[in-house]
Amino acid sequence: MAEKRPENNGAATATAIESQLPTPIKPKRNKYALACAFLASMTSILLGYDIGVMSGAIIYIKREIKMTDVQKEVIMGILNVYSLLGSAAAGRTSDWLGRRYTIVFAGAIFFVGALLMGFATNYAFLMVGRFVAGIGVGYALMIAPVYTAEVAPASARGFLSSFPEVFINFGILLGYVSNYGFSKLPADIGWRLMLGIGAIPAVFIAIGVLAMPESPRWLVMQGRLGDAKRVLDKTSDSPAESKQRLVEIKEAAGIPEHCTDDIVAVSKKSHGSGVWRELLLHPTPAVRHILICGAGIHFFQQASGIDSVVLYGPDIFKKAGLESDTDQLLATMAVGFTKTIFILVATFYLDKVGRRPLLLSSVAGMIVSSMALGAGLTVIDHSERRVGWALALSITTVLSYVAFFSIGMGPITWVYTSEIFPLRLRAQGASIAVAVNRVTSGVISMTFISLRDAITYGGAFSSTVGLRSWHFWYFTLCTLRRRGRRSRRWRACLGRFLNGGLRLRSLTRRRPKTRGISKCGGIKSGGV
């Protein structure tokens, strides 16, 4: 018994010492980085506004231009296909012009497109406006998450990287409000103002972005180390983090760590040559896994059918039993408010709860909501008179559907894309992911009416339950926990999945918070 006393005394002493240690202070939000991310992410308003405003404007456009249902679904979804051109060109453009001026370029293109749509006199003219605006949207979608991830400090990267999705939702809400406000005007004037007024945000965005600094990663790629250091000093939480970020960027750009000149020569390799070959033709296992995760999460985000709900909201509410245009537009405004509120909630909990739990909860909630929505619309479809409880169920489940989307799949898709690609592959990798996103969205949007005519509204939503269950399985298997890992150590684990080194159990279980040598070759500092 006497031998155990010193042991107990030692444990008590250690506990006493630990209790006296100062609690680590969480760094405050970097206001400068917050402002930069805020301004860059405002470009996403352009896409959100177009989605929101077209859902209501199409009611009056169809009546004036006399378009068919096929023409309607094409004009609604074609902007997503046209945006492919913008997202495909944005990677190289941003490496050439810089992230900041690429954002200005995107705003200028959308400005022209919005004016063309507002002055359209026929279907062909309207299609030209959609083409130009789509290119601007493609640029904006690709560059905003990339810039935000490159500016944000590690402590707030998840919070700031979710900003693009926040502004997409805010843009959708503005579009819905615009629909309701201008619906009181004569029909031939109202829809033109709904579309044309979208040029105004583009002007303010282009002006505001000029006040932002250039991305420190792009500055290093150009050999401008002095400028990059000054930006990092402003956007990092501490001088030590600024130095560490500069070292990592220099290493990725192929610049020796000891090189401290303000201007240095950088090899052409770091300007993007060979990146497409490394991504698509000869990828390493890690790069292949990164590409699968990045493109896959974008595919499943849009395959969830969220754009169908947002674009065709008035049609869905009309089927549910809301007869007047005003009631339909008010219901879509409720959708916009719900999406915006829940995306703000998700933004503040991304770094606290973690990406993976929010993502899986989001998909599970969408599965339940779509099942209930399909059931409600099916009951309405088979009833000859208005069914009050089915109407209430349909409206409630539409709102819960967009709410669950906004707490997980909406923001986390963009956060993952901005974090998962390393510096050298980031711009081109993000453009591939955005291209997948837009193609999937375009296909879903341009076939929804045809699907509805074939199997009814209820059948359209019920038939997607199986696909969303596959989403849940995919995210469970292919996404890794980020918490507790630095970017390089996290990405180092990715290739192991394709080589069989990571089993499903190791992907999903939570590791103890101990320090030691991890299987990925780095030092563990927390849970997986």
Side-chain angles (χ1 to χ4, degrees):
M1 295 292 291
E3 292 177 359
K4 291 184 180 179
R5 281 178 193 165
E7 218 174 284
N8 293 336
N9 291 338
T13 304
T15 304
I17 293 173
E18 286 178 4
S19 65
Q20 295 174 6
L21 291 175
T23 304
I25 300 174
K26 185 178 179 180
K28 294 182 179 179
R29 300 283 187 197
N30 186 305
K31 294 181 181 179
Y32 187 76
L34 180 68
C36 292
F38 186 90
L39 288 172
S41 301
M42 283 179 66
T43 57
S44 300
I45 289 178
L46 305 180
L47 172 63
Y49 183 83
D50 184 87
I51 293 173
V53 79
M54 278 302 293
S55 70
I58 196 66
I59 297 173
Y60 308 102
I61 295 173
K62 186 178 179 181
R63 292 171 186 168
E64 182 171 338
I65 297 182
K66 310 294 183 185
M67 64 177 68
T68 64
D69 280 345
V70 173
Q71 288 177 318
K72 174 182 174 179
E73 63 182 357
V74 169
I75 204 71
M76 295 284 274
I78 197 66
L79 180 134
N80 297 306
V81 178
Y82 290 150
S83 68
L84 284 174
L85 299 175
S87 63
R92 180 55 67 92
T93 305
S94 65
D95 284 344
W96 178 45
L97 290 179
R99 314 314 196 209
R100 187 174 60 157
Y101 287 111
T102 302
I103 295 174
V104 176
F105 188 51
I109 295 174
F110 189 86
F111 175 83
V112 175
L115 291 181
L116 289 174
M117 288 190 291
F119 286 107
T121 55
N122 53 47
Y123 188 82
F125 198 158
L126 184 61
M127 185 66 76
V128 172
R130 301 289 282 169
F131 173 76
V132 177
I135 294 176
V137 164
Y139 268 97
L141 273 179
M142 198 288 292
I143 198 60
V146 170
Y147 177 88
T148 302
E150 292 178 349
V151 169
S155 63
R157 189 163 292 133
F159 172 74
L160 298 180
S161 295
S162 64
F163 273 24
E165 182 67 17
V166 172
F167 281 101
I168 288 176
N169 283 271
F170 184 63
I172 290 172
L173 177 58
L174 287 179
Y176 287 158
V177 173
S178 174
N179 289 337
Y180 182 74
F182 290 117
S183 66
K184 309 300 181 183
L185 298 176
D188 59 332
I189 298 175
W191 71 264
R192 296 180 186 281
L193 289 176
M194 293 176 191
L195 297 177
I197 205 170
I200 295 177
V203 174
F204 286 107
I205 289 168
I207 295 173
V209 166
L210 293 177
M212 294 166 19
E214 187 50 82
S215 157
R217 292 179 180 266
W218 184 82
L219 292 171
V220 171
M221 290 166 63
Q222 306 304 308
R224 296 163 57 182
L225 299 186
D227 292 336
K229 184 179 182 303
R230 283 187 283 274
V231 175
L232 287 170
D233 287 341
K234 292 181 179 180
T235 58
S236 299
D237 291 328
S238 65
E241 184 190 8
S242 174
K243 291 179 181 178
Q244 181 61 32
R245 289 174 68 186
L246 182 59
V247 168
E248 291 179 355
I249 298 172
K250 285 164 64 177
E251 180 183 349
I255 300 174
E257 184 178 345
H258 61 79
C259 186
T260 57
D261 296 338
D262 284 351
I263 305 292
V264 300
V266 181
S267 64
K268 288 186 179 180
K269 271 191 163 185
S270 61
H271 288 264
S273 64
V275 169
W276 292 111
R277 183 182 305 145
E278 186 176 346
L279 271 173
L280 301 175
L281 299 181
H282 305 292
T284 63
V287 169
R288 190 180 299 115
H289 189 186
I290 288 172
L291 192 58
I292 289 173
C293 288
I297 195 170
H298 275 271
F299 168 77
F300 285 119
Q301 185 202 49
Q302 292 303 325
S304 67
I306 186 63
D307 276 4
S308 297
V309 175
V310 175
L311 275 172
Y312 297 103
D315 291 347
I316 295 171
F317 292 127
K318 182 178 181 180
K319 181 63 180 177
L322 299 180
E323 297 295 339
S324 70
D325 293 347
T326 300
D327 289 343
Q328 295 163 22
L329 295 178
L330 281 173
T332 57
M333 283 180 61
V335 171
F337 277 110
T338 302
K339 278 179 66 65
T340 304
I341 290 170
F342 277 88
I343 192 68
L344 290 173
V345 171
T347 297
F348 288 99
Y349 280 93
L350 266 174
D351 291 322
K352 295 179 181 178
V353 178
R355 284 77 157 141
R356 186 184 176 84
L358 285 176
L359 185 61
L360 296 179
S361 301
S362 171
V363 177
M366 291 173 69
I367 291 173
V368 175
S369 297
S370 59
M371 290 175 63
L373 177 59
L377 291 174
T378 300
V379 169
I380 291 170
D381 198 52
H382 288 81
S383 301
E384 296 181 357
R385 54 185 178 179
R386 182 169 176 171
V387 183
W389 68 265
L391 169 61
L393 177 64
S394 299
I395 295 175
T396 302
T397 49
V398 167
L399 297 179
S400 67
Y401 184 86
V402 299
F404 277 113
F405 177 86
S406 295
I407 66 169
M409 285 197 71
I412 291 173
T413 297
W414 303 102
V415 173
Y416 255 105
T417 305
S418 63
E419 290 180 340
I420 201 170
F421 288 101
L423 166 64
R424 192 168 127 69
L425 308 177
R426 180 164 293 156
Q428 288 80 3
S431 67
I432 292 175
V434 171
V436 172
N437 185 292
R438 293 298 88 200
V439 167
T440 309
S441 176
V443 170
I444 297 295
S445 301
M446 290 192 292
T447 57
F448 180 78
I449 293 179
S450 300
L451 182 65
R452 173 206 69 186
D453 293 341
I455 60 175
T456 74
Y457 279 106
F461 285 102
S462 299
S463 65
T464 59
V465 172
L467 180 61
R468 293 189 184 97
S469 301
W470 189 29
H471 297 183
F472 190 90
W473 173 84
Y474 176 87
F475 294 137
T476 301
L477 185 62
C478 290
T479 57
L480 297 175
R481 289 185 184 272
R482 170 69 192 269
R483 295 176 70 185
R485 284 179 175 155
R486 295 181 67 87
S487 295
R488 286 189 300 168
R489 291 172 188 162
W490 180 53
R491 287 193 289 262
C493 294
L494 293 172
R496 303 285 186 120
F497 169 75
L498 294 179
N499 286 338
L502 286 177
R503 300 181 184 277
L504 179 59
R505 181 179 61 185
S506 66
L507 290 176
T508 55
R509 72 184 180 186
R510 190 176 183 84
R511 300 182 189 274
K513 295 186 177 181
T514 57
R515 290 184 62 87
I517 303 300
S518 74
K519 292 183 179 180
C520 301
I523 297 178
K524 293 190 292 186
S525 57
V528 176

